[in-house]
Amino acid sequence: MDDPPPLRSVRLLRARVPEGARYPFDVPVIRRLDTIELNRRVCFFVGENGSGKSTLLEAIAESFGLGREGGSRHIRHDTTDANASSAPLAGALRLSWARKLLFGFFLRAESFFNLATYLGEDREMLAQYGGLPLHRQSHGESFMALAKHRLRPGGFYLMDEPEAALSPQRQLSFLLVLDQLLAASPDTQFIIATHSAVLLALPGAQILSFDEGEIAEVRYEDTAPYQVLKACVNNRAAFMERVLRPAPDPDPD
Ligand SMILES: Nc1ncnc2c1ncn2[C@@H]1O[C@H](COP(=O)(O)OP(=O)(O)OP(=O)(O)O)[C@@H](O)[C@H]1O
Ligand SMILES: [Mg+2]
């Protein structure tokens, strides 16, 4: 985990931002993006819904040559143009590598169903995913099959909310798979967007917050997933009282 990451930085080349550009260049964190320095082989993106994590993750994936909807360099199964407007961002990013990685995978929980459909019952392709058609397994089972069989040491892995498929126990199993891949090669690297306090707990990871309209490094204890979970489980009754019966605004307008 202490080895320097193969991908060292991600920079937005302002000269490549189109004139009068709207989405994705109007997303506050993208508007203010200059250079992100990656200093660990696992980097988590955290932040409120809509803060821009998926937008940047997709653009990094595309810039590396992975399909926006997920998959490896060989699998491009984009089924929608809904995010096609994020494509110019990929073209404006400069990825700086200490050691250029040759393979990787972009895993999006949202489009995992489409990946499963794409693979179908094709035995040859399924061999890389543990052999069983993904649609004949539960969401979490198929996700873990992919994590265990498809991810190899020395790859560049981008994941968008992998916890969406996983129970808390399976999230821990997923961290174990991740740790083994990191230990097996100094070139394994992950960038993971997440809302999970369990995943974020991985020791030695870099955590970048997308809140307050800019990307900044934060400590685990300062992340919202950790703070909300902690407040909730430490004193559930009082916390829920505050959430469900907030004090009336003394100065209503
Ligand atoms: N195709 C699109 N066209 C226009 N705006 C978009 C598009 N996709 C996303 N947005 C907007 O860009 C902003 C960032 O969205 P993004 O999906 O990157 O957020 P996120 O941090 O991944 O959120 P979440 O935690 O909910 O997944 C949001 O305000 C969203 O509404
Ligand atoms: Mg997202």
Side-chain angles (χ1 to χ4, degrees):
M1 188 71 155
D2 288 340
D3 297 284
L7 178 64
R8 302 305 300 270
S9 67
V10 177
R11 189 160 138 235
L12 179 65
L13 303 174
R14 285 278 151 204
R16 297 229 188 129
V17 175
E19 279 291 312
R22 301 177 62 152
Y23 178 79
F25 298 101
D26 61 349
V27 176
V29 293
I30 305 298
R31 221 167 32 216
R32 295 172 72 175
L33 179 62
D34 180 8
T35 305
I36 301 175
E37 304 284 353
L38 300 169
N39 52 35
R40 297 298 181 132
R41 289 192 292 135
V42 179
C43 176
F44 289 113
F45 289 176
V46 292
E48 192 44 84
N49 293 129
S51 57
K53 304 178 300 296
S54 299
T55 299
L56 185 59
L57 204 62
E58 281 166 20
I60 295 172
E62 200 164 351
S63 190
F64 180 66
L66 304 169
R68 230 182 359 256
E69 275 210 26
S72 68
R73 281 182 152 173
H74 307 294
I75 300 180
R76 300 192 67 115
H77 62 102
D78 291 8
T79 54
T80 166
D81 266 342
N83 282 325
S85 46
S86 71
L89 178 56
L93 291 184
R94 163 76 50 83
L95 308 188
S96 298
W97 299 88
R99 310 178 294 285
K100 181 76 196 271
L101 300 185
L102 297 177
F103 63 93
F105 205 94
F106 179 28
L107 198 70
R108 295 186 52 175
E110 284 169 39
S111 48
F112 192 56
F113 186 88
N114 298 338
L115 174 66
T117 304
Y118 171 84
L119 295 172
E121 310 261 334
D122 186 307
R123 281 181 166 211
E124 209 173 304
M125 286 203 290
L126 283 171
Q128 299 183 319
Y129 294 81
L132 264 183
L134 300 187
H135 276 317
R136 287 201 226 155
Q137 304 174 58
S138 81
H139 193 193
E141 287 166 349
S142 53
F143 181 95
M144 283 308 288
L146 182 146
K148 282 185 188 153
H149 300 286
R150 189 68 178 78
L151 309 187
R152 287 178 287 138
F156 180 57
Y157 299 115
L158 299 157
M159 305 196 166
D160 202 352
E161 298 188 27
E163 70 271 20
L166 302 172
S167 72
Q169 295 94 315
R170 283 277 167 91
Q171 289 183 43
L172 297 173
S173 310
F174 174 67
L175 286 182
L176 181 61
V177 172
L178 208 129
D179 191 58
Q180 288 167 344
L181 288 165
L182 290 163
S185 166
D187 285 344
T188 311
Q189 184 168 2
F190 290 87
I191 302 179
I192 303 174
T194 185
H195 296 291
S196 166
V198 174
L199 295 187
L200 285 171
L202 184 75
Q206 179 178 22
I207 304 179
L208 296 177
S209 162
F210 280 51
D211 287 332
E212 320 300 341
E214 66 180 347
I215 300 174
E217 199 158 334
V218 289
R219 293 181 324 139
Y220 176 62
E221 293 78 8
D222 293 330
T223 63
Y226 169 81
Q227 290 183 348
V228 172
L229 184 66
K230 184 172 178 228
C232 185
V233 298
N234 273 359
N235 194 343
R236 177 181 158 203
F239 182 70
M240 281 297 134
E241 187 65 22
R242 281 208 305 281
V243 171
L244 302 176
R245 313 259 177 275
D249 186 348
D251 187 18
D253 240 346

